[in-house]
Amino acid sequence: MIIGIILLVVLLTIVVVLFIGPYNKLVGLRNKLQEAWRQVDVELNRRYDLIPSLVETVKGYAAYERTTLADVIALRNQARTLDTSGAPSAERVAVESQLSGAVGTIIATAEAYPELKADAGFRQLVGELSQTEDRIANSRRYYNAVVGDYNTKVESFPSNIVAGMFHFTQASYFQVDDPTMRANPDVDFSELGTRGNTQQTPGPVQQQEPGAIAQGQQNQAPGFQPPAQQYPRAPQPQQYPQGPGFQPPAQQ
């Protein structure tokens, strides 16, 4: 009787260790994963809402950028049709990466249109997009961290046995593969209308005598005084040997 009870306890312990515990852990991580993705999805939809307004604003100034603007709208619409509530598909990850790069390209066109850079509506949209991109990046980092924990659990023993039995599959990361698209789009409006004028205005050029050494080209020790500028010297009176009682001749 006692032996039977001991065996039953051992059997239940094995079941809990090998099945119930790992199963509950996998379910918890899966729910956490879905919640993390919903946070990313909220920020992505926020960007979808801002893009049409940005395109319309740019269109009023950049008449020759219509192809680029049309491409951005097409990517935005494609990404929205791929909207998923559970996790990102590989196709959506690729489209979102292209969309990030396209939005950055549109904002960069402001450098060629000073009037567009000065537009208050454009500046506000860029600010909102920049904040949205920051939130997307933060949400994406959190989501990818949860993906790492979940995938580790799916692959580890003994939870991998439970994962195979109950169809817990690995989740996909949401990340930008193109390094040129990793930076958040941003534009510096600190110097409106000064595009291309990034160098300091040179001061007046000082004329130097041929063969003279420019000031500052030689090492100057403490207390050093540069020699006075040399000019042609006036003829000096003729010198005569001077002995005792000598009187120089009167000047002609």
Side-chain angles (χ1 to χ4, degrees):
M1 183 67 180
I2 297 178
I3 296 177
I5 294 175
I6 294 175
L7 291 176
L8 180 61
V9 170
V10 171
L11 181 62
L12 290 176
T13 302
I14 293 174
V15 170
V16 170
V17 171
L18 295 181
F19 295 98
I20 298 179
Y23 177 83
N24 291 338
K25 184 65 175 180
L26 286 169
V27 170
L29 286 173
R30 184 175 61 185
N31 292 339
K32 188 176 181 181
L33 186 67
Q34 293 174 351
E35 178 61 28
W37 174 248
R38 279 193 288 270
Q39 295 179 13
V40 177
D41 198 51
V42 166
E43 300 304 332
L44 291 176
N45 280 279
R46 171 63 176 164
R47 182 169 67 175
Y48 298 155
D49 294 337
L50 291 172
I51 287 176
S53 298
L54 178 71
V55 168
E56 289 300 319
T57 302
V58 174
K59 189 184 297 183
Y61 295 92
Y64 300 100
E65 306 289 345
R66 295 189 180 276
T67 301
T68 301
L69 299 178
D71 291 342
V72 171
I73 291 296
L75 286 170
R76 176 255 188 191
N77 294 337
Q78 183 180 0
R80 173 154 276 181
T81 59
L82 296 173
D83 187 10
T84 55
S85 59
S89 63
E91 185 179 4
R92 186 176 184 185
V93 170
V95 173
E96 292 290 352
S97 298
Q98 297 176 42
L99 183 59
S100 296
V103 171
T105 300
I106 283 187
I107 296 177
T109 60
E111 293 297 324
Y113 302 94
E115 298 84 0
L116 176 59
K117 289 176 63 175
D119 184 273
F122 177 78
R123 291 164 61 94
Q124 181 180 358
L125 284 169
V126 169
E128 292 181 9
L129 272 170
S130 179
Q131 294 175 5
T132 301
E133 292 290 343
D134 288 340
R135 289 194 293 267
I136 290 174
N138 292 333
S139 300
R140 185 178 65 235
R141 281 192 292 268
Y142 174 71
Y143 170 79
N144 287 337
V146 177
V147 169
D149 294 340
Y150 173 79
N151 287 346
T152 299
K153 197 67 176 177
V154 169
E155 295 176 351
S156 301
F157 179 84
S159 56
N160 60 341
I161 300 175
V162 179
M165 293 175 59
F166 296 96
H167 307 290
F168 288 91
T169 58
Q170 291 191 15
S172 300
Y173 288 94
F174 180 61
Q175 57 190 5
V176 179
D177 295 328
D178 189 345
T180 62
M181 299 179 186
R182 291 182 184 275
N184 295 333
D186 197 6
V187 176
D188 182 10
F189 294 104
S190 59
E191 297 181 358
L192 294 176
T194 59
R195 181 174 180 265
N197 188 21
T198 58
Q199 297 181 351
Q200 297 182 352
T201 304
V205 180
Q206 298 182 356
Q207 299 294 332
Q208 299 178 358
E209 295 294 331
I213 299 176
Q215 184 177 359
Q217 291 183 352
Q218 56 184 348
N219 295 329
Q220 300 182 2
F224 171 81
Q225 296 292 332
Q229 187 172 5
Q230 301 296 326
Y231 296 95
R233 302 178 61 183
Q236 301 294 322
Q238 185 176 3
Q239 303 293 326
Y240 298 90
Q242 301 179 6
F246 171 80
Q247 295 292 332
Q251 187 174 2
Q252 298 297 325

